[in-house]
Amino acid sequence: MKITKLSHVFAVLGVKQAHVVRALATKGLTFSKASLSRLVTQADWPKTCDQEAVKAAITEYLANLGATKEQLTELFNWYEPSSKTQPEIEYEDPEPEMLTANAKQFFKLRRDPFENEIATPEDVFWIDPYRVILEDMLLAATAGSMVALHGECGSGKTIIRRAFIHNIQRDHPEVILIQPARLDRRRVTAESISTAICRALQIKHKPSAEERDAAIEEGLIESANNGHLHLMIIDEAHDLTPDVIKLLKRIWELTHGFRRVMGIVLIGQTELKKKLDGQHVREFTWRCNQIAMQPLGMFVPQYIKHKFERAGLDASKIFTDDAMSAIKGKCYGMIRHGIALDSSQLDRSYPLSVNTWTAKAMNLAAAIGEKKITEQLVLKV
């Protein structure tokens, strides 16, 4: 498959296009997210821009992120990776494991710190990237923009969604949430989306699709006149069809004066990014702010301590400091890019992975009667 070299390097380094646009702006270069998306996916330059200055700024930005000389060579040309250059990932996600009854009894746990543990906003562990995601999603509600949040299974997307909805309902009563209610997200259709809007705005059923669409547009504008904002949230959005994604763009384009009447938030697994990078939905993608869930990284020890604190326990009485660092290390792997490119580190320290490795260590400790979990014990898991 032929792709741009820039697209390949962005994927390898985990570069976010929004960050590149901001970096260009700090150098006085105006380059929109839509223009960068076209450059990355199609090697298509805007008719009016200083190409050499933009090329130099992007190259410098990637070099500062650790891009190799090979990666920066012919950066803005087309690139056709062969099977030999496909990255090899040296990491395998652990099989999910919960605390055993023996471990709970051994460590005198009143409740499992990792099972059904989010009951209040205080139970959520926040790091700066999560707060930024929340702000971007709030912008979708207040400014009528589009956001697509994607991440690995167990990366914390559901918790972010629940926290976001809680904040909206608590602090922004003017926002009307629209959530298509289907157990099978693969069957979210134009009809189910229209039904969800009608339900939220209390629009009476219309006999024909044309009448219903006209009533929806009138209802959204009337609701906006009454001071309301509207936000559609679709979970498991990686299962949406291209036709439904195109429909969402058309709904998003509805305006009341200069103001859009609907914001859209899509939440899905990493397949959502692949779907949005496809040519069939590029008109949606160019206007959508894509956000990737970030791993916990250096905050793994604080995350573990927070989980146990919410369960009424002091984690330092169960784990040594180097044991918590070892759990973080269990979540790291390597990506081999081939002979010509340097290897890079893979960080999979998402909440589910950290929960699983922590439970595995505690189960092993309980089985052998170790009251204190050390680095050596974690490495045996």
Side-chain angles (χ1 to χ4, degrees), residues 352-370:
L352 180 60
S353 293
V354 176
N355 295 354
T356 297
W357 286 118
T358 304
K360 285 178 179 289
M362 293 180 69
N363 289 341
L364 176 59
I368 63 178
E370 285 287 347

Side-chain angles (χ1 to χ4, degrees), residues 238-308:
H238 51 271
D239 286 328
L240 295 177
T241 65
D243 286 342
V244 171
I245 293 175
K246 291 177 183 178
L247 169 67
L248 293 174
K249 174 185 170 289
R250 289 194 289 272
I251 294 175
W252 173 77
E253 288 175 336
L254 293 176
T255 58
H256 172 53
F258 290 101
R259 190 178 184 86
R260 299 195 185 278
V261 299
M262 176 83 74
I264 295 173
V265 171
L266 304 183
I267 302 173
Q269 296 178 19
T270 50
E271 290 80 5
L272 174 60
K273 174 175 172 53
K274 296 176 183 177
K275 186 164 290 187
L276 294 182
D277 287 343
Q279 291 297 307
H280 296 297
V281 295
R282 61 185 181 276
E283 291 185 1
F284 180 96
T285 304
W286 291 345
R287 295 162 176 82
C288 179
N289 179 20
Q290 294 191 53
I291 309 171
M293 286 295 298
Q294 298 299 307
L296 292 165
M298 61 182 292
F299 297 102
V300 167
Q302 291 95 316
Y303 170 80
I304 295 173
K305 291 176 183 177
H306 173 82
K307 286 296 180 185
F308 279 85

Side-chain angles (χ1 to χ4, degrees), residues 62-75:
L62 295 175
N64 291 335
L65 288 180
T68 65
K69 184 177 179 180
E70 286 290 340
Q71 288 171 325
L72 297 177
T73 301
E74 298 184 347
L75 183 60

Side-chain angles (χ1 to χ4, degrees), residues 21-201:
V21 171
R22 285 198 288 269
L24 293 174
T26 61
K27 293 182 176 293
L29 299 170
T30 301
F31 208 74
S32 69
K33 286 188 288 185
S35 295
L36 182 60
S37 178
R38 287 194 294 272
L39 175 61
V40 171
T41 59
Q42 304 171 50
D44 181 20
W45 286 90
K47 293 182 179 179
T48 57
C49 81
D50 188 343
Q51 286 192 25
E52 295 306 315
V54 172
K55 285 181 178 180
I58 293 177
T59 301
E60 180 185 350
Y61 178 81
L62 295 175
N64 291 335
L65 288 180
T68 65
K69 184 177 179 180
E70 286 290 340
Q71 288 171 325
L72 297 177
T73 301
E74 298 184 347
L75 183 60
F76 298 92
N77 294 340
W78 287 97
Y79 174 77
E80 190 166 4
S82 67
S83 58
K84 294 182 180 179
T85 61
Q86 290 298 320
E88 294 182 7
I89 297 177
E90 294 183 0
Y91 180 80
E92 187 173 344
D93 286 316
E95 286 292 328
E97 183 172 323
M98 302 302 295
L99 286 175
T100 63
N102 179 47
K104 293 176 186 177
Q105 183 178 3
F106 184 79
F107 288 106
K108 297 181 173 57
L109 297 179
R110 291 180 295 177
R111 67 174 179 86
D112 191 329
F114 309 116
E115 184 178 8
N116 299 322
E117 78 279 18
I118 306 296
T120 68
E122 291 73 25
D123 291 330
V124 181
F125 179 76
W126 290 101
I127 57 177
D128 286 342
Y130 294 174
R131 294 187 178 93
V132 171
I133 290 172
L134 211 60
E135 290 172 4
D136 286 341
M137 292 171 71
L138 181 59
L139 189 63
T142 57
S145 58
M146 295 194 295
V147 169
L149 174 64
H150 53 79
E152 299 287 347
C153 181
S155 59
K157 302 183 299 297
T158 299
I159 300 304
I160 291 290
R161 176 180 60 80
R162 289 168 57 188
F164 170 67
I165 292 175
H166 173 82
N167 285 2
I168 286 290
Q169 293 174 335
R170 181 191 63 192
D171 301 330
H172 298 275
E174 75 279 10
V175 175
I176 296 176
L177 294 177
I178 301 169
Q179 303 179 73
R182 292 298 297 264
L183 294 178
D184 185 354
R185 300 298 179 188
R186 289 169 294 184
R187 296 186 179 180
V188 171
T189 62
E191 182 179 355
S192 57
I193 288 174
S194 298
T195 300
I197 297 174
C198 291
R199 182 174 60 249
L201 300 182

